[in-house]
Amino acid sequence: AGVRERKRAGQARDWMWQEIDETLRARFRGDPGVAARLHAVEAAVVAGDTAPAAAARALMDAFFGRAGTAGKA
C-alpha cells in the first residue's frame, strides 16, 4: 500500500478509537452510579483530599457495580 493508503488506514483506526472513547465516556458519565458520585469525587480530587487514581477506581467500581472493591485487582 502506498503512503496515502497507509495514512488513510491510520486515520480510520484513530476514528474508530475516537468513537469508542466518546461512547464509553458518555455511557460512563450517564451511569446513575457514577453520576451520583461524580461531583463529590471530582471535588475531593481538586481539594487534594483524594488521589486521582483512587477517585478513578471508585468511579469505575460504581460503573461496573463493584461496591467496596477499591484497592482490589
Side-chain angles (χ1 to χ4, degrees):
V3 173
R4 201 173 270 146
E5 290 81 10
R6 286 193 301 269
K7 183 176 180 179
R8 284 190 184 135
Q11 289 171 332
R13 182 197 59 233
D14 293 346
W15 187 11
M16 176 193 75
W17 280 109
Q18 181 179 347
E19 290 292 322
I20 291 169
D21 290 344
E22 289 174 5
T23 299
L24 287 173
R25 186 179 295 247
R27 288 190 181 185
F28 182 81
R29 286 180 172 267
D31 180 81
V34 172
R37 295 169 178 80
L38 187 56
H39 180 73
V41 171
E42 283 183 335
V45 170
V46 170
D49 296 331
T50 301
R57 276 193 306 274
L59 291 171
M60 294 297 284
D61 287 346
F63 182 67
F64 289 112
R66 299 185 306 230
T69 61
K72 298 179 184 174

